[in-house]
């Protein structure tokens, strides 16, 4: 017996009082009938007209946009970007909020996630409850910092440059992205057409003049001759294997952080904010306080950023093991740290490689997992190694909170936590939590 399809509510409008912020760049509201709404482009305390963008009758919640602001918050500003707003570019979540308000909203999300998933108050997490701006990012109300050193542009069927709309494959044409770093803007990607191309990723290295574009052709599409406003290396994503291949120029960019130069190849992972790498290294090292002769792990180590910083501090009698699943990142990490014979980089998944090493005890651990977190099994293994301190670097507060609860079950408690606004005007936030065995001091 077939059931009747549920009626779509897309386009329906509700007048609602906006409640607290939630994880994901929206706020919570309820209709008069008690239906939960996730409302984008709103702020807590506002009264708005919310239009449904996704959802059907009987759904647990409806996704909506605030299309009319009846009672604005004192924290509301006019969005500086003309491409921000309901139905437009989905790259920024908080263009309509003053800078200080954005950081308070992120702090509220972290607080809620720690409470709900880890059972911790800010005081118990040893966190002062603030989200710190990156150096140089304090801008006047109504402006946004130009911080994004890596931008992936979407190209429409006519070859015009744009960015994806929220939760959509649709493209919002743009002629300038306000949060793109100057090194990205100077390439002039938005000023030209890109026929037969699906995406253009632009990379502007920090600390060098290296510029790179990574082109993804449409199926059967041919690469154009790339002539941009500044010298640039060109890579392409291969249609068959998805691998990245050099067209001309260097297959890597050179980044600068922690008093070293880092080779990052084939569009590999590097922090997007130009100050992020140094901010995070400082927070991790201050929290861990490495000593000469320490044995340390750098897990999900990328191109070796934390491994290099650890190696400088543990000295010649110390040792650092890095583990990374990306083969190209491992090659880069080994190149970047080739002058440090006390560092070893292994290729593979942490949960598979670490048990094979035979390591049974370490002094320090840096844990910088992907957005999903490390997980219960990996946490249990790390706890068994008896590290006196663990630095957990998290780009998702929910994953951090889940893993911190697992660590608590293994006898580790927060010693200190800091949060950084390394993704201004988006809902993303970076946290560094230092854990140590419960009851142990420095």
């Amino acid at each position: 017996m077939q059931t009747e399809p549920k009626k779509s509510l897309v386009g329906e409008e509700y007048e609602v009082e906006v409640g607290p912020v939630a994880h994901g760049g929206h706020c919570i509201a309820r209709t008069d009938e008690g239906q939960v709404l996730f409302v984008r482009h709103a702020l807590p305390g506002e009264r708005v007209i919310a239009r449904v963008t996704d959802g059907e009758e009987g759904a647990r919640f409806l996704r909506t946009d605030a299309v009319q602001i009846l009672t604005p918050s004192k924290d509301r500003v006019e969005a500086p970007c003309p491409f921000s707003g309901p139905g437009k570019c989905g790259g920024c979540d908080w263009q309509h909020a003053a800078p200080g308000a954005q950081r308070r909203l992120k702090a509220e999300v972290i607080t809620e996630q720690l409470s709900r998933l880890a059972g911790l108050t800010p005081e118990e997490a040893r966190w002062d409850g603030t989200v710190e701006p990156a150096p140089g990012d304090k801008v006047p109300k109504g402006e946004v910092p130009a911080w994004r050193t890596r931008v992936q542009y979407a190209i429409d069927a006519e070859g015009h440059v744009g960015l994806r709309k929220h939760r959509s494959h649709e493209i919002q044409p743009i002629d300038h992205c306000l949060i793109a770093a100057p090194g990205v803007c100077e390439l002039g990607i938005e000023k030209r057409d890109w026929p037969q191309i699906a995406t253009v990723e632009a990379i502007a290295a920090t600390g060098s003049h290296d510029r790179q574009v990574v082109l993804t052709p449409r199926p059967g599409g041919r690469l154009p001759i790339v002539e941009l406003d500044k010298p640039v290396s060109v890579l392409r994503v291969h249609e068959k294997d998805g691998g990245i291949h050099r067209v001309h120029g260097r297959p890597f960019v050179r980044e600068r952080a922690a008093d070293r130069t880092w080779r990052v190849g084939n569009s590999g992972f590097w922090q997007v904010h130009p100050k992020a790498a140094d901010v995070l290294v400082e927070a991790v090292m201050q929290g861990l306080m490495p000593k000469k002769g320490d044995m340390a792990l750098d897990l999900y180590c990328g191109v070796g950023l934390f491994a290099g910083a650890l190696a400088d501090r543990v000295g010649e009698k110390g040792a650092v093991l890095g583990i990374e699943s990306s083969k190209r990142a491992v090659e880069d990490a080994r190149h970047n740290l080739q002058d440090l014979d006390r560092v070893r980089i292994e290729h593979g998944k942490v949960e598979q490689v670490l048990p094979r090493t035979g390591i049974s005890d370490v002094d320090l651990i840096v844990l910088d997992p992907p957005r999903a977190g490390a997980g219960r099994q990996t946490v249990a293994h790390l706890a068994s190694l008896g590290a006196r301190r663990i630095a957990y670097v998290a780009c998702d507060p929910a994953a951090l909170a889940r893993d911190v609860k697992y660590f608590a079950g293994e006898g580790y408690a927060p010693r200190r936590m800091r949060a950084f606004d390394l993704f201004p005007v988006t809902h993303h936030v970076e946290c560094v939590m230092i854990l140590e065995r419960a009851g142990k001091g420095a």
Side-chain angles (χ1 to χ4, degrees), residues 66-403:
V67 294
Q68 188 178 349
I69 312 302
L70 304 176
T71 308
S73 164
K74 63 180 177 55
D75 292 323
R76 176 171 287 276
V77 298
E78 184 176 349
C81 177
F83 309 113
S84 175
K88 298 181 182 179
C89 172
C92 294
D93 305 291
W94 301 118
Q95 286 267 355
H96 58 287
Q102 294 176 35
R103 293 191 289 273
R104 289 196 300 274
L105 291 169
K106 295 184 185 192
E108 289 172 21
V109 168
I110 296 169
T111 299
E112 190 271 338
Q113 295 294 304
L114 286 172
S115 173
R116 185 168 63 87
L117 299 175
L120 294 175
T121 64
E123 292 77 17
E124 290 167 335
R126 304 296 181 91
W127 173 47
D128 65 6
T130 66
V131 174
E132 305 171 41
D137 269 2
K138 286 194 173 181
V139 295
K141 190 174 182 178
E143 295 184 20
V144 296
W147 58 271
R148 194 170 186 93
T149 60
R150 294 173 176 231
V151 178
Q152 186 165 63
Y153 297 97
I155 312 300
D156 68 17
E158 287 73 45
H160 303 322
V161 172
L163 294 167
R164 301 278 182 198
K165 296 182 180 181
H166 181 61
R167 293 176 57 84
S168 172
H169 293 295
E170 289 186 47
I171 295 171
Q172 167 67 56
I174 67 163
D175 56 20
H176 178 57
C177 175
L178 283 184
I179 65 171
V184 169
C185 296
E186 70 184 13
L187 296 176
I189 288 170
E190 300 100 330
K191 295 190 298 186
R192 61 163 291 168
D193 290 338
W194 297 87
Q196 303 187 62
I197 297 297
T199 66
V200 178
E201 182 183 14
I203 299 170
T206 300
S208 79
H209 293 294
D210 292 351
R211 304 290 181 261
Q212 188 179 85
V213 295
V214 183
L215 306 179
T216 304
R218 294 186 180 279
R222 298 177 60 185
L223 285 185
I225 296 173
V226 179
E227 293 180 348
L228 293 172
D229 294 351
K230 295 286 182 179
V232 65
S233 298
V234 178
L235 283 68
R236 69 167 290 169
V237 177
H238 199 277
E239 184 178 337
K240 291 184 178 179
D241 63 10
I244 298 177
H245 302 264
R246 183 178 70 90
V247 177
H248 68 74
R250 293 191 184 98
F252 59 84
V253 295
R254 294 165 297 178
E255 303 279 2
R256 186 75 185 169
D259 298 321
R260 297 179 74 90
T261 297
W262 306 88
R263 187 182 81 180
V264 183
N266 285 12
S267 185
F269 175 78
W270 185 260
Q271 289 288 341
V272 178
H273 193 292
K275 301 293 178 62
D278 279 325
V279 165
L280 294 175
V281 165
E282 179 185 26
V284 167
M285 296 305 137
Q286 283 182 351
L288 289 181
M289 295 193 292
K291 300 175 183 177
K292 298 296 184 184
D294 275 345
M295 165 62 191
L297 298 177
D298 180 10
L299 305 180
Y300 312 94
C301 71
V303 299
L305 176 67
F306 295 116
L310 285 165
D312 288 340
R313 290 161 176 79
V314 302
E316 294 183 1
K317 293 184 178 180
V320 180
L321 171 66
I323 301 176
E324 168 58 43
S325 62
S326 164
K327 186 176 180 181
R328 179 56 202 248
V330 167
E331 293 172 1
D332 287 337
R334 289 171 177 167
H335 169 85
N336 294 332
L337 304 174
Q338 60 186 318
D339 60 313
L340 298 169
D341 57 10
R342 55 190 173 274
V343 178
R344 189 169 99 246
I345 307 294
E346 295 289 346
H347 172 237
K349 294 182 177 180
V350 168
E351 63 270 21
Q352 295 173 355
V353 173
L354 189 55
R356 294 203 303 261
T357 64
I359 293 173
S360 58
D361 65 281
V362 297
D363 298 298
L364 302 172
I365 298 172
V366 177
L367 183 62
D368 187 7
R371 189 168 300 279
R376 187 190 298 269
Q377 186 176 349
T378 298
V379 166
H381 187 175
L382 297 183
S384 73
L385 302 179
R388 70 173 182 272
R389 286 193 184 161
I390 299 171
Y392 193 126
V393 183
C395 60
D396 185 280
L400 171 67
R402 283 192 296 268
D403 284 344

Side-chain angles (χ1 to χ4, degrees), residues 377-433:
Q377 186 176 349
T378 298
V379 166
H381 187 175
L382 297 183
S384 73
L385 302 179
R388 70 173 182 272
R389 286 193 184 161
I390 299 171
Y392 193 126
V393 183
C395 60
D396 185 280
L400 171 67
R402 283 192 296 268
D403 284 344
V404 165
K405 186 172 183 179
Y406 298 148
F407 273 114
E410 302 290 341
Y412 277 84
R415 175 183 172 85
R416 188 187 186 194
M417 190 182 110
R418 296 173 70 186
F420 302 97
D421 191 14
L422 302 181
F423 310 89
V425 297
T426 78
H427 74 272
H428 300 289
V429 63
E430 200 87 11
C431 297
V432 175
M433 180 175 279

